């Protein structure tokens, strides 16, 4: 009985330690966000497609919107120099 109790306490301690060591879930910047009351702006941006977002917000008084971070995070095209004197041929 005593060994079983010690084993249960040890397992409970391990469980608490593993939960306490985890951080918040990683935030994703997918292109579609669930937006509405309680989510702030831009909302919960965890959807790769509009259809995924619409399925998630269905019946929850939320809407889907474009994530501004994903929409305006377009990279500039790489400019290449016309004359590269040091390129091996």
């Amino acid at each position: 009985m005593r060994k079983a109790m010690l084993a249960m306490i040890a397992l409970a301690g391990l469980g608490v330690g593993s939960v306490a060591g985890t951080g918040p879930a990683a935030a994703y910047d997918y292109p579609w966000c669930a937006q509405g009351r309680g989510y702030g702006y831009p909302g919960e941006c965890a959807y790769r497609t509009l259809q995924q977002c619409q399925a998630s917000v269905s019946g929850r008084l939320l809407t889907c919107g474009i994530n501004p971070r994903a929409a305006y995070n377009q990279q500039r095209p790489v400019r290449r120099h016309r004359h590269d004197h040091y390129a091996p041929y």
Side-chain angles (χ1 to χ4, degrees), residues 19-71:
V19 171
T22 59
Y28 297 106
D29 276 337
Y30 290 127
W32 294 99
C33 304
Q35 299 172 339
R37 191 173 188 173
Y39 278 104
Y41 185 78
E44 177 190 23
C45 301
Y47 306 100
R48 292 179 191 226
T49 66
L50 178 60
Q51 291 79 16
Q52 286 177 340
C53 184
Q54 288 173 336
S56 178
V57 303
S58 177
R60 294 175 33 194
L61 296 175
L62 299 172
T63 60
C64 292
I66 296 174
N67 181 354
R69 289 184 294 246

Side-chain angles (χ1 to χ4, degrees), residues 5-21:
M5 188 65 136
L6 287 174
M8 289 175 53
I9 291 172
L11 287 174
L14 288 174
V16 170
S18 66
V19 171

